Every structure is written in C-alpha cells, then in structure tokens.
C-alpha cells in the first residue's frame, strides 16, 4: 500500500534520512522505532508531504506521491496524527474534529464519520462542547486520533502516540489502535517505546541516524536484546531507575 524507495531528506546541510526504504501492506500495523533524532518524524513528514525528499520515491497504492501537497495527500487517503497531538486549544472538541474533515464535501457522510468517532471515543462525545485545552493528555490523544479518522483515511501515520502519557492511558490509546486495526485500518506507527510498539505491530523497522539498520517481524525484534535494551521506552526506563534506587 505504501512504499518508500531509497528516500533521502536533508535540512539544508544536515542529512536527516539516507536511502530509507520501507513498505506497509494493506491491513498491517508497521512500527518505525528509533531514538531521539533518528529521523522518525522526518519519515512521516516526507510521506504526508510536509517535507520533500531530495532523492528516492514514495508510492501510495501504486502511484508516486512524492512532491504532492499535504492537502492532496490527505485527499488521497493518508492522515497524520502529529507528535504532541497538536489539538487546537481554543476550539471545542467537536470543532477540532471537524477541522479533520475540511476536505470532505459530503455533509451526511461527515455526520456519519463524526458519529463513528463518538462511538469509538465516548469521552469525546461527552466533552464535545468543551475547549480542546481542557482535555487531559490521554483525551487529547483520542481527539488527535479522532480528528485523523474524520478525513476517512486508508492509511494513518501515528507519531509517538504514547509520548508523555501515564501507563494506564497508554493502554487506552493502544486499545484504540487495536480497534482501528480490527476495522481494517493500515497504520505506520512511530514509537520510542519498544514495548508499546511491538505489542501492537506485526513488523518493525529500526532507524538510527537516518538509516534503516534492521527490519524484521516484531516477534524477532522482541527477542533481540540489543533492540529491547536500547528502546525500552520512557515509562519502563523510569520504573527501572526507581527499582534500582530502592
Ligand atoms: P524525536 O524522537 O526526537 O522526535 P525523530 O527520530 O523524530 O526524533 P527527526 O525529528 O526526524 O527525529 O529529526 C531527524 C534529524 O533531523 C535530527 O538530527 C534533527 O536534529 C534534524 N532536524 C529535524 N528537524 C529539523 C529542522 N527543522 N531543521 C534542521 N534539522 C532538523
């Protein structure tokens, strides 16, 4: 469904991605894992048209999308859930959701999609008149996921959905991702937390300083001690330091 073929991206003189190749098949959740600054967000921004690769090609459902505008890419069926959720603080929850549907002309269809989002996340329905800024971190993540669904994507790009959330809330977000998967959604998931990522996905790519250094199924990546040590993720790292102190 999605194919990156030797994609390179630079920020001026800084090479952020070097010949990154990866594929996501229809119905899969694929994880892209890597430390700070490895280039994970840059991969997602290149797919969603926010950055243009200097080399290589990006294909979605068989056609090249390299160089298309972000609007065009959303219209083709790719939605990005950005890192840090980026909820509009002064808009109501419902208006935040409607922003996600700005390219949808069919109003009846939009209502149906909104109802689907509210069924998936009842807390958003309860709080639909509240301002975005009044939501907790977990609720804002639900809102960001719901907003992406509003554009009726076939592929979702999720940038660190577990970042900064308490373990209980991470579990809720993980359940939502599993529900999307069951509904037939295809996802490329960026994570620093290997436990979360490998629990959700079937295949993973490990990115280090802009290069793919390993690609395997998640069962094998989970058995790889070097990977698990490097990417245990924030929550577990904190838990372990805490245990070491006592
Ligand atoms: P994080 O987990 O910290 O978000 P990441 O894996 O998503 O990291 P990117 O944000 O893709 O990494 O960044 C990849 C590299 O590109 C880093 O070295 C970063 O410093 C650099 N970079 C990112 N954005 C810019 C920018 N706007 N200008 C210059 N360099 C940038």
């Amino acid at each position: 469904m999605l194919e990156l073929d030797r994609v390179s991206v630079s920020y001026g003189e800084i090479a952020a991605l070097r010949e990154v190749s990866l594929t996501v098949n229809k119905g899969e959740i694929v994880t892209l894992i890597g430390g700070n600054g490895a280039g994970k967000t840059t991969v997602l921004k290149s797919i969603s048209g926010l950055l243009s690769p200097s080399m290589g090609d990006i294909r979605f459902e068989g056609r090249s999308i390299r160089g298309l505008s972000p609007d065009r890419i959303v219209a083709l069926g790719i939605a990005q859930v950005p890192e840090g959720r980026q909820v509009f603080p002064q808009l109501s929850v419902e208006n935040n959701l409607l922003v996600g549907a700005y390219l949808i002309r069919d109003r009846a269809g939009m209502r149906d999609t909104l109802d689907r989002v509210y069924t998936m996340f009842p807390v958003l329905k309860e709080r639909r008149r509240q301002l975005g800024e009044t939501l907790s971190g977990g609720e804002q993540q639900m809102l960001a996921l719901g907003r992406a669904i509003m554009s009726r994507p076939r592929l979702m790009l999720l940038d660190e959905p577990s970042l900064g959330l308490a373990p209980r809330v991470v579990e809720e977000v993980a359940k939502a991702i599993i529900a999307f998967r069951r509904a037939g959604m295809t996802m490329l998931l960026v994570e620093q937390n290997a436990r979360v990522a490998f629990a959700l996905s079937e295949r993973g790519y490990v990115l280090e300083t802009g290069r793919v250094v390993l690609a395997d199924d998640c069962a094998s990546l989970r058995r790889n001690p070097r990977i698990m040590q490097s990417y245990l993720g924030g929550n577990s790292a904190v838990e372990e330091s805490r245990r070491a102190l006592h």
Side-chain angles (χ1 to χ4, degrees):
M1 181 178 230
L2 177 76
E3 194 182 353
L4 269 68
D5 182 11
R6 286 167 292 165
V7 168
S8 298
V9 175
S10 300
Y11 294 102
E13 296 287 293
I14 303 164
L17 298 182
R18 299 160 202 257
E19 303 205 356
V20 168
S21 293
L22 64 84
T23 57
V24 182
N25 300 314
K26 194 169 167 14
E28 269 188 325
I29 303 185
V30 172
T31 283
L32 190 57
I33 198 157
N36 281 328
K40 305 178 299 297
T41 300
T42 304
V43 169
L44 297 192
K45 285 186 172 168
S46 316
I47 300 167
S48 58
L50 295 168
L51 286 172
S52 194
S54 52
M55 280 197 313
D57 199 10
I58 303 176
R59 287 183 287 274
F60 178 60
E61 297 180 329
R63 63 172 282 192
S64 177
I65 56 168
R66 180 185 161 181
L68 296 185
S69 69
D71 273 14
R72 190 81 200 91
I73 290 174
V74 172
L76 285 174
I78 301 180
Q80 182 166 352
V81 181
E83 184 177 338
R85 359 281 180 213
Q86 295 183 17
V87 159
F88 296 102
Q90 294 296 321
L91 289 186
S92 69
V93 165
E94 186 148 297
N95 282 341
N96 264 281
L97 290 172
L98 294 176
V99 167
Y102 73 104
L103 290 170
I104 309 276
R105 307 239 175 274
D106 149 32
R107 301 207 119 221
M110 192 164 88
R111 183 74 242 173
D112 282 354
T113 315
L114 188 62
D115 288 342
R116 263 183 50 214
V117 170
Y118 284 152
T119 308
M120 233 182 283
F121 304 118
V123 68
L124 297 184
K125 186 171 186 185
E126 275 164 35
R127 299 180 191 275
R128 64 188 182 281
R129 293 199 183 84
Q130 279 180 222
L131 293 184
E133 67 184 1
T134 64
L135 299 187
S136 69
E139 289 161 354
Q140 290 195 11
Q141 185 62 55
M142 306 292 171
L143 182 53
L145 290 167
R147 186 176 55 194
I149 291 287
M150 289 302 293
S151 69
R152 296 197 219 143
R154 291 189 297 289
L155 171 68
M156 277 172 74
L157 311 173
L158 307 184
D159 199 351
E160 308 222 18
S162 76
L163 192 71
L165 300 180
R168 186 184 49 78
V169 185
V170 170
E171 216 167 284
E172 269 175 53
V173 171
K175 276 188 194 148
I177 292 172
I178 291 168
F180 288 168
R181 162 85 201 285
R182 287 216 185 95
M185 185 64 74
T186 308
M187 283 173 271
L188 178 59
L189 169 67
V190 155
E191 263 298 338
Q192 279 195 40
N193 184 333
R195 279 190 218 273
V196 173
F198 297 159
L200 292 172
S201 326
E202 30 263 307
R203 289 193 301 117
Y205 292 84
V206 180
L207 202 61
E208 283 176 8
T209 54
R211 290 180 199 276
V212 172
V213 293
L214 193 60
D216 213 335
D217 59 83
C218 288
S220 309
L221 291 173
R222 253 199 309 264
R223 287 194 297 268
N224 184 324
R226 191 179 77 79
I227 297 301
M228 291 313 282
Q229 265 159 28
S230 304
Y231 307 112
L232 273 174
N235 295 336
S236 323
V238 172
E239 275 163 33
E240 267 162 38
S241 315
R242 212 178 268 141
R243 267 200 295 276
L245 274 174
H246 292 102

